[in-house]
Structures are given as C-alpha cells and as structure tokens.
Amino acid sequence: MTTPQPGRHMAAEIAAQPSIFSSLYASRAAIAEVAAVIRERAPRFVLFAARGSSDHAAIYAKYLTEILLELPAGLVSASTTTLYGAEPDLRDVLLVTVSQSGGSPDLLEVTASYRRRGALTVAVTNTPDSPLNAAAELSVDVSAGVEHAVAATKTYSATLLALYLLVDAVRGGDGAAAASLGELAQVTLDASAPTVEEAVRRYRFVDRVLTTGRGYSYATALEASLKLAETSYLAARAYSGADLLHGPVAAVDGETAVLAITSLGKGGESLRDALDVVHQRGADVVAVGSASEKMGATLAVAIPETAEEVAPVLEILPVQRLAYGLALARGGDPDSPRGLNKVTRTR
C-alpha cells in the first residue's frame, strides 16, 4: 500500500490559485449584483464577523471599507450575541459574515440575530449551500472549489479577492486593479520559489517567528503567523508595524526570525522605521512583497507590483509556500496538523 505524500493537498491547492483568481474575476458580475443592493441600501456602518483565516480576510476588508468606501467599519465580537445576548439597534448597518465553510454555529447565530434586528446581511463563503448562506439575505460565492488540506490556502486568497471585488463594486468600480491577478499569481509562485526555499533553510530550526505588516498588508502578517503556527508548530506572533514599536520590539534579538510583509505603497513605506529598529536588534529579517528589495532585509522575496489594495492577494502566496516547506522540513504533514479539523465549531 502506497503511503500518501505529506502535504500533497496543500501543494496542489497553492498551485491552483492563479486559475481560481482568473475564474473569480471573470464571474465578478454576480458579485456586482450583491454590491448594487448594498449601494441601494446605503449602510452607514459596516461590521464583519469571522473566525480564523476568515477573520484575517475580514480585517483586510475592513481596511478596504474604511479607505475605499470611507465608511466606519468594525469586527464583531460574536460572544456578545452568543453568550451575552446583546441586542443592539442594527438599522443602517451592513453585516458581512466571512466563513469558508459557512458552518460555524456562532457565525450562523450572529448572522441570523443581526438580520432580525435590521442589518443587511451578506455571507461570503466557499460553500454556496451552507446554513450561513440561508441565514443571510445576500451571498457571495468565493468559488475556490473543495479544499482538502486543513490549513486554508486557496479559500483564503480567493476570499480576499471576492471581498475586494465586492467593495470595489459598491463604490462603482469595475475591478480593474484585479484584472491581471491570475497571471501575476503564477509569476509570483514561479519567481519566488528559489528565495522561498532559501527562507525554509534559514527558518528550519528557529523556535519563534515575529510577523509584521501595516495597512492592507497587516492582514497578511496575521495570516502568515497563523499558517506558520498551525503547519510548522512555530511560536509565531503577528504585530502591525506601529504596535511593534510600542513594546514588543523589546523581545526582539539575534535569535528572532522576522517575516515582514512590505509592498509598495503607504503601508510598506511606513514599515521602514520598524524594520530599521528590528535590524539594529540583530534579528534575521525575511521581507515579502513588491517593496521587499528596498527594505535591506537579509532575504527579499519579491512579488510583482500591483495597486496597494490588492497586493495581499499575491503577498500570501510565497508565505503559504514557506509554511508548506517548513512543515515538511520539520518532519510534519501540513495537510493534517495535529489537533485541528477543517471546520471548527465554536460558540
């Protein structure tokens, strides 16, 4: 009997992302229909509900909402509904619930509760027939296909793209900044392979990793930390570049591995000061992004330049490959991390 190759599902799902991006962009008209309803309802406040990797996608969408739509946005604390039974007035509120499976009980309860109390509810999922889609008034299909690896890869990046297309359409855009992401994703995966392999060699024996980014890229830093923790069992922690200087940098020394997400734009440029301090403290820095070669990092994993607001769709790709490579190098199987299931049911 042949033993399954460790990580085969994660490798295949990482490789599938360029075609998924192209297909999702081509089907953006369905997302635009949802956006038209949102625009007509004219919400004054946007809330996002999510868990795990989807929470990081929601944080990305929060930046999109505040910057591109200039609407206040926030993240829902599900327990205020599920445990404490709070019932705020939700008229003129848009709730976007992000869940790859659409099966988490707490997110389902929040969505149903918010809809009863006047919010316009939108489910963003990779499972069109999920209970969450039935609970929400509107839905957006991420269209990434069934994901077999426990660690989310293609569903995470496709969710980012779907959220961008939704927010852009709400403001009346045509998604032009995302038009070439399918091709650029393939370029990213191919061109970054040698430097990702070098990063695996550098990080194979580290015990703790700090990830950092600012602006749109903060979501990538958060997702990078989660991927490294759940696949390679590293003690990984994410900070925004600003928060890093407010105390955590004191724990950085020559034994610290730092993964910096830095793409061209205001977020990447504002990370420079934090990286200068990290360098002075002797940390080994691997930078990922279209501005990585300008940051004086020990190792730069470059990606193609895009509009800053869609850079996270590409930034995460080499990070996923890094998590995959480290898991194998450290003797693990990234397809089935210990103690984890594909769907986590919380309340």
Side-chain angles (χ1 to χ4, degrees):
M1 183 175 177
T2 304
T3 302
Q5 180 182 355
R8 70 191 190 284
H9 290 312
M10 186 174 181
E13 288 162 2
I14 291 172
Q17 290 171 105
S19 63
I20 291 170
F21 297 167
S22 295
S23 296
L24 184 55
Y25 179 77
S27 63
R28 65 192 181 281
I31 298 177
E33 291 177 4
V34 175
V37 177
I38 295 172
R39 195 163 56 245
E40 182 180 354
R41 295 277 285 271
R44 292 295 306 137
F45 198 94
V46 183
L47 290 171
F48 294 92
R51 294 288 192 194
S53 287
S54 293
D55 196 45
H56 305 153
I59 289 171
Y60 165 68
K62 179 178 180 293
Y63 276 89
L64 290 173
T65 301
E66 292 178 339
I67 297 169
L68 302 186
L69 301 183
E70 297 186 331
L71 287 175
L75 302 175
V76 169
S77 298
S79 63
T80 61
T81 296
T82 62
L83 300 184
Y84 295 96
E87 296 189 356
D89 183 349
L90 296 168
R91 289 171 293 179
D92 298 326
V93 170
L94 168 65
L95 173 74
V96 181
T97 306
V98 187
S99 172
Q100 291 147 15
S101 69
S104 184
D106 53 354
L107 297 181
L108 179 61
E109 185 174 342
V110 165
T111 303
S113 175
Y114 274 47
R115 185 174 180 179
R116 286 195 305 270
R117 288 182 274 127
L120 172 60
T121 53
V122 179
V124 178
T125 81
N126 192 47
T127 311
D129 59 351
S130 71
L132 180 61
N133 286 59
E137 184 174 341
L138 303 168
S139 62
V140 171
D141 185 1
V142 168
S143 303
V146 176
E147 194 167 52
H148 296 285
V150 171
T153 53
K154 65 179 184 176
T155 54
Y156 174 74
S157 58
T159 299
L160 295 183
L161 179 53
L163 287 166
Y164 170 75
L165 292 172
L166 178 64
V167 171
D168 182 64
V170 170
R171 67 168 175 169
D174 60 0
S180 60
L181 287 180
E183 295 119 11
L184 294 178
Q186 192 61 61
V187 171
T188 299
L189 288 171
D190 293 343
S192 66
T195 44
V196 169
E197 289 179 6
E198 175 60 23
V200 169
R201 288 191 289 270
R202 299 189 72 88
Y203 280 3
R204 180 177 180 180
F205 298 108
V206 300
D207 294 319
R208 55 194 174 100
V209 178
L210 183 152
T211 66
T212 186
R214 287 205 73 181
Y216 298 110
S217 296
Y218 177 48
T220 311
L222 289 165
E223 178 64 7
S225 176
L226 175 60
K227 283 291 160 284
L228 293 171
E230 68 182 352
T231 61
S232 302
Y233 315 137
L234 286 165
R237 184 71 183 267
Y239 295 99
S240 80
D243 287 336
L244 180 60
L245 296 179
H246 280 268
V249 73
V252 175
D253 56 26
E255 301 299 314
T256 307
V258 175
L259 182 64
I261 313 300
T262 173
S263 288
L264 293 166
K266 294 180 180 178
E269 182 58 33
S270 68
L271 193 62
R272 192 181 299 274
D273 289 345
L275 292 185
D276 286 344
V277 174
V278 165
H279 278 300
Q280 291 168 12
R281 298 190 65 83
D284 186 281
V285 180
V286 172
V288 174
S290 54
S292 59
E293 294 174 326
K294 300 182 178 182
M295 293 294 163
T298 310
L299 183 66
V301 182
I303 68 167
E305 181 179 355
T306 64
E308 185 180 6
E309 60 264 30
V310 297
V313 180
L314 299 183
E315 291 167 348
I316 195 59
L317 305 182
V319 173
Q320 293 169 346
R321 280 265 183 86
L322 174 61
Y324 164 81
L326 279 173
L328 294 179
R330 295 162 71 93
D333 182 357
D335 282 349
S336 53
R338 63 193 183 207
L340 297 180
N341 296 304
K342 188 60 185 169
V343 179
T344 303
R345 300 188 181 278
T346 51
R347 187 171 187 275

